[in-house]
Amino acid sequence: MRKPIIGVTPDFNPGTRMDMGGKEPTYFLRARYLQAIQETGGVPIVLPLVRGEGHHRLLLKQLDGLLVTGSGWDLDPNLYGERKQFPFQQMSEERAQLELGLSRLAFSLKVPTFGICGGMQSMNVALGGTLIQDIPSQIQTRLQHSPKKSATKMAHVIRIEAKSWLSRIAKKKTIPVNSSHHQSVKAIPPLFRITATTSDGVVEAFEADSHPFWLGVQWHPEFLYRKHSIQKGLFSAFIRAARRYRSQMEN
Ligand code: MN
């Protein structure tokens, strides 16, 4: 059987930024996301930013799994029914529409989906969830969710819920993770379940019991998987689910 094909959402500069291509519309993506998929048995494909449900359906049909990546920039709060309350950079509409559209479809079509950091937030908003717009302004915490140190270093501990994908992979109730986010999941859609949090109540992971593999994590396993077996295990479990999905579609 051939290796499962994993669609990976890229970041995009529509030509309005100073960096990443400047005025020339440019896709960009940290190599780590693709490397982690390759090193755990999948074939990553960087997705084109197409619009509309028909195009999203066609794309998803080619895939055995979907990796929704993180971004330095945030979703427009209008997408979850809020006004923007704090100054932050917004991700391109092109990228937001792709991530929201694909996440919605992947949820209903039960395509294995793994969301990292901002990708987890897109999965949440896609199905009707909301976000904390700025953790330092909205949550009292002593934890550092956005420390200045490298994302290869652990930043805080998370507590993992029993009977979850995460607990099966980690086989522990608490693990240290890195952290590089100023936003987080606030309200989740009815079919989601929060499966990891920090002591300040910040949501660090969710899953959906009705879905074969629907995992969002607020940290960045792509910076950790080469040295930390639990973090590698997240990618391996995702690839296994994609392989199962593929064999079901073939039968
Ligand atoms: Mn965090």
Side-chain angles (χ1 to χ4, degrees), residues 1 12 17 31-32 43 73 90 113 127-129 142 145 160 163 183 186 189 216 234 237 239 243-244:
M1 193 170 82
F12 183 60
R17 293 173 61 150
R32 290 174 189 278
V43 177
W73 293 13
Q90 278 174 211
T113 301
L127 275 299
R142 281 194 210 148
H145 289 283
I160 298 172
K163 293 181 185 154
Q183 297 200 333
K186 188 161 68 177
L234 299 176
I239 298 299
R243 208 175 281 132
R244 270 197 301 279

Side-chain angles (χ1 to χ4, degrees), residues 144-145 156 177-181 198 202 204 218-219:
Q144 293 230 312
H145 289 283
H156 58 61
V177 296
N178 55 4
S179 194
S180 178
H181 60 113
T198 34
V202 167
E204 290 276 343
Q218 187 55 71
W219 67 95

Side-chain angles (χ1 to χ4, degrees), residues 4-18:
I5 293 177
I6 307 298
V8 184
T9 60
D11 210 339
F12 183 60
N13 166 18
T16 56
R17 293 173 61 150
M18 302 298 286

Side-chain angles (χ1 to χ4, degrees), residues 3-251:
K3 291 179 175 180
I5 293 177
I6 307 298
V8 184
T9 60
D11 210 339
F12 183 60
N13 166 18
T16 56
R17 293 173 61 150
M18 302 298 286
D19 59 346
M20 304 295 183
K23 292 201 173 111
E24 175 67 21
T26 301
Y27 284 64
F28 55 102
L29 178 67
R30 279 204 309 269
R32 290 174 189 278
Y33 289 114
L34 304 180
Q35 289 161 347
I37 296 297
Q38 286 175 289
E39 289 170 33
T40 51
V43 177
I45 302 281
V46 180
L47 297 174
L49 296 162
V50 291
R51 280 171 189 263
E53 198 189 313
H55 288 122
H56 294 161
R57 243 175 226 283
L58 281 175
L59 262 190
L60 213 50
K61 258 192 179 165
Q62 311 296 323
L63 306 176
D64 308 314
L66 174 66
L67 179 67
V68 193
T69 61
S71 156
W73 293 13
D74 301 312
L75 285 171
D76 178 353
N78 278 307
L79 293 166
Y80 45 93
E82 289 190 12
R83 279 184 308 116
K84 187 175 177 184
Q85 292 174 272
F86 309 97
F88 50 77
Q89 303 268 26
Q90 278 174 211
M91 82 166 68
S92 68
E93 203 203 323
E94 288 87 346
R95 179 182 185 179
Q97 289 307 322
L98 183 81
E99 293 197 339
L100 297 177
L102 285 183
S103 295
R104 259 193 298 275
L105 278 175
F107 190 75
S108 66
L109 298 173
K110 300 203 184 315
V111 179
T113 301
F114 186 20
I116 293 178
C117 195
M120 170 200 199
Q121 296 168 11
S122 288
M123 287 160 72
N124 193 52
V125 170
L127 275 299
T130 61
L131 303 180
I132 301 278
Q133 289 188 32
D134 188 54
I135 292 171
S137 313
Q138 292 178 280
I139 292 183
Q140 279 214 331
T141 180
R142 281 194 210 148
L143 300 180
Q144 293 230 312
H145 289 283
S146 192
K148 292 208 166 64
K149 62 186 174 186
S150 158
T152 56
K153 302 269 187 293
M154 301 306 193
H156 58 61
V157 164
I158 58 166
R159 199 179 53 213
I160 298 172
E161 293 296 316
K163 293 181 185 154
S164 60
W165 272 104
L166 263 185
S167 66
R168 284 193 288 275
I169 295 163
K171 299 185 175 70
K172 285 181 180 176
K173 287 181 180 163
T174 60
I175 58 167
V177 296
N178 55 4
S179 194
S180 178
H181 60 113
H182 84 103
Q183 297 200 333
S184 63
V185 163
K186 188 161 68 177
I188 54 166
L191 291 171
F192 288 23
R193 177 158 73 100
I194 292 167
T195 56
T197 49
T198 34
S199 56
D200 53 10
V202 167
V203 174
E204 290 276 343
F206 61 54
E207 304 176 19
D209 293 335
S210 61
H211 194 284
F213 192 94
W214 184 262
L215 174 63
V217 301
Q218 187 55 71
W219 67 95
H220 283 277
E222 79 281 11
F223 277 92
L224 303 170
Y225 73 96
R226 282 185 182 146
K227 282 192 178 164
H228 301 273
S229 61
I230 291 172
Q231 304 297 334
K232 187 173 185 181
L234 299 176
F235 287 101
S236 302
F238 172 49
I239 298 299
R240 275 198 301 278
R243 208 175 281 132
R244 270 197 301 279
Y245 175 80
R246 169 164 196 82
S247 63
Q248 279 166 11
M249 298 306 277
E250 280 172 348
N251 292 333

